[in-house]
Amino acid sequence: DAVKLAGQQVSPPSPGSYGRASRSAGSFPAIFAESRGRKIRVAIVHDFLVKIGGAEKVTQALCEIFPQAPIYTLIYDPKVDSLFPQKKIIVSYLQRWYRTWHVPTKLLMPFMAEAIESFDFTGYDLVISSNNSFAGGIITPPDVPHISYCHSPTRYLWDAFHTYVAEQQLPRLVKGLLQYILHNLRIWSKLSSGRVTKYVANSNYVKNRIRKYYRRESTVVYPPVDVDKIQAKATHADYFLVVSRLSAYKRVDLAIAACNDLRMPLVIIGEGEEWARLQKLAGFSVEFLGWQNEANKIEYLRNCRALIFPGEEDFGIVPVEAMAAGKPVIAYRKGGALETVIDGKTGVFFLAPTVPALIGAMRNFLTKEKEFNPDFIHRHAENFSRVKFKAEMVKLIHQELQKCGKL
């Protein structure tokens, strides 16, 4: 049966021919010269398109730069159609396992390295990957540069490996098998990083991890945030806000415990596997709203007293969205927040991932709340706009193509 992808009917290739590159490839914006008398042909690669998040919005922005470029991805879910209307999506053989046989994504992990390598990029002049796990491992011809926008070296293979394994509720034997699989994938991750022509990191925090784990240098280009669609608001309601996937590493439990202790209203937007546990922790002042559409989310951001950002993130788009709304951010002083939040100007930090530390930061915020300037906060957020991302990426890509002799 045909698989419906991004508003088009795409017939699955015959076995063994998944990933064959279409020759109707994407062409550059007008500022790029033609190469050898024809338009330069571009392909975009994304790990898997099954949800809408920050990485997917990076891929969306790349598609705006190269509107005719097809997207190669391991698996695809039509619920992301809104980001890629009428876009040509080329999937791997794992798509059938995922959509037809409903094999969980985690069980597909041992096959993803081989599947991403099965894509054939013969006939392209440039491949750009939006990568935080497998997309950076593609194999391109010797004369085809590969620019990898790296959201992070795969967390569960590298810095979060021990935590990830410990969190899995599995029998000892199965957990041992998981460790062995991850060990082999880690070797593949390091070896395949050598295939990338140019790394682009989404923050200095990630740049340092690329250097440590891959021994590669990279250029930082902050991801796109739609700050122009968010208007700053000087007034606020009486609640603090968390917008997050409800996963353990997001540390939403810290925000709940702190607001319980201070008896401060807290609104939580998001869904995830921690939903039931977090609801049991919540006191009378905590309200769970679940998933909200973009318009509702923005309105909650515009009306909150401050955003609480208790987890450690590689970049963190939500804090920038909150600042675009003119609202301060109370953030854990680690990760990407150090590059987006100005202490005392656009927010306040807490130094340790503990409830007392967060309570201290919230009390600090309350004493200086009137000192925060919504217009200044909004102007700061404009440093992370979609327009700036696209301009910096176009400049970087142009430079790399000149180095490779493609322009």
Side-chain angles (χ1 to χ4, degrees):
D1 296 334
V3 180
K4 186 173 176 61
L5 297 177
Q8 302 181 35
Q9 287 296 124
V10 181
S11 298
S14 58
S17 63
Y18 275 96
R20 178 62 57 184
S22 165
R23 296 300 174 259
S24 58
S27 55
F28 268 99
I31 66 166
F32 289 90
E34 293 186 351
S35 175
R36 294 182 288 276
R38 58 171 174 76
K39 293 289 186 180
I40 292 178
R41 292 172 289 190
V42 184
I44 295 171
V45 186
H46 191 97
D47 299 302
F48 19 83
L49 291 169
V50 296
K51 63 180 180 63
I52 297 176
E56 288 69 31
K57 291 182 179 179
V58 166
T59 299
Q60 180 192 41
L62 292 172
C63 290
E64 290 172 0
I65 300 173
F66 311 113
Q68 301 304 315
I71 301 175
Y72 287 74
T73 187
L74 289 169
I75 52 179
Y76 181 86
D77 194 304
K79 66 185 177 185
V80 304
D81 278 357
S82 60
L83 287 186
F84 308 103
Q86 302 304 312
K87 193 70 179 172
K88 182 172 184 180
I89 310 290
I90 300 173
V91 297
S92 75
Y93 62 82
L94 297 180
Q95 178 73 10
R96 192 185 305 276
W97 302 10
Y98 173 72
R99 291 289 291 168
T100 304
W101 301 332
H102 306 290
V103 178
T105 306
K106 284 186 177 182
L107 296 184
L108 298 176
M109 191 190 337
F111 308 97
M112 288 182 175
E114 188 277 333
I116 204 74
E117 291 180 341
S118 71
F119 289 136
D120 180 5
F121 295 100
T122 303
Y124 288 101
D125 299 292
L126 171 69
V127 182
I128 307 170
S129 63
S130 174
N131 166 47
N132 63 14
S133 55
F134 293 93
I138 58 172
I139 299 174
T140 58
D143 62 339
V144 178
H146 170 201
I147 298 174
S148 180
Y149 188 94
C150 184
H151 305 280
S152 172
T154 314
R155 299 295 299 268
Y156 57 80
L157 297 182
W158 298 102
D159 53 309
F161 167 70
H162 298 288
T163 303
Y164 177 79
V165 172
E167 287 177 349
Q168 305 306 307
Q169 302 298 315
L170 298 170
R172 181 179 298 180
L173 184 62
V174 178
K175 187 170 286 192
L177 177 61
L178 173 64
Q179 289 178 299
Y180 177 74
I181 291 171
L182 296 180
H183 168 75
N184 285 328
L185 285 176
R186 186 160 49 249
I187 295 171
W188 176 85
S189 178
K190 174 62 175 72
L191 291 174
S192 65
S193 68
R195 305 171 188 167
V196 173
T197 309
K198 172 69 177 179
Y199 268 108
V200 183
N202 74 348
S203 65
N204 285 293
Y205 185 57
V206 168
K207 177 178 181 174
N208 291 334
R209 289 217 305 275
I210 292 172
R211 182 185 295 123
K212 175 176 174 60
Y213 297 124
Y214 294 160
R215 299 294 191 262
R216 297 290 303 273
E217 292 301 320
S218 58
T219 299
V220 175
V221 176
Y222 292 120
V225 184
D226 291 320
V227 296
D228 58 314
K229 297 180 181 179
I230 306 174
Q231 294 182 337
K233 187 172 182 179
T235 59
H236 61 76
D238 193 38
Y239 63 88
F240 291 89
L241 180 66
V242 167
V243 180
S244 173
R245 188 167 70 251
L246 303 184
S247 299
Y249 79 96
K250 299 286 189 177
R251 298 313 310 268
V252 178
D253 57 311
L254 295 180
I256 291 173
C259 288
N260 284 345
D261 188 274
L262 295 173
R263 297 186 178 183
M264 291 286 185
L266 174 66
V267 172
I268 299 175
I269 292 176
E271 298 177 329
E273 62 274 12
E274 288 278 289
W275 175 281
R277 185 181 78 87
L278 293 174
Q279 281 196 317
K280 291 178 182 178
L281 298 176
F284 69 92
S285 66
V286 179
E287 181 181 5
F288 289 81
L289 298 183
W291 178 87
Q292 297 290 311
N293 62 37
E294 194 70 11
N296 287 346
K297 182 192 76 174
I298 289 173
E299 281 307 300
Y300 276 103
L301 286 168
R302 295 181 70 234
N303 287 288
C304 70
R305 293 182 75 168
L307 176 81
I308 300 177
F309 192 65
E312 176 187 345
E313 294 283 358
D314 301 318
F315 175 74
I317 286 178
V318 172
V320 178
E321 291 176 330
M323 291 186 290
K327 296 300 183 282
V329 179
I330 302 171
Y332 176 38
R333 196 176 186 276
K334 197 170 183 181
L338 286 169
E339 300 174 51
T340 58
V341 179
I342 304 174
D343 196 17
K345 296 290 188 180
T346 69
V348 296
F349 288 116
F350 58 101
L351 302 182
T354 64
V355 175
L358 177 52
I359 289 174
M362 292 181 69
R363 285 176 172 157
N364 180 29
F365 166 78
L366 292 170
T367 62
K368 58 176 66 174
E369 184 174 11
K370 294 182 180 179
E371 299 175 15
F372 290 100
N373 184 323
D375 290 332
F376 176 85
I377 295 173
H378 176 82
R379 287 195 301 273
H380 174 65
E382 290 176 339
N383 291 316
F384 307 97
S385 70
R386 178 178 290 255
V387 171
K388 186 171 183 179
F389 167 83
K390 290 164 71 172
E392 291 184 1
M393 286 300 297
V394 166
K395 180 180 178 181
L396 182 147
I397 292 165
H398 192 275
Q399 291 172 345
E400 288 303 311
L401 286 171
Q402 286 184 320
K403 289 180 185 178
C404 296
K406 293 285 184 177
L407 290 179

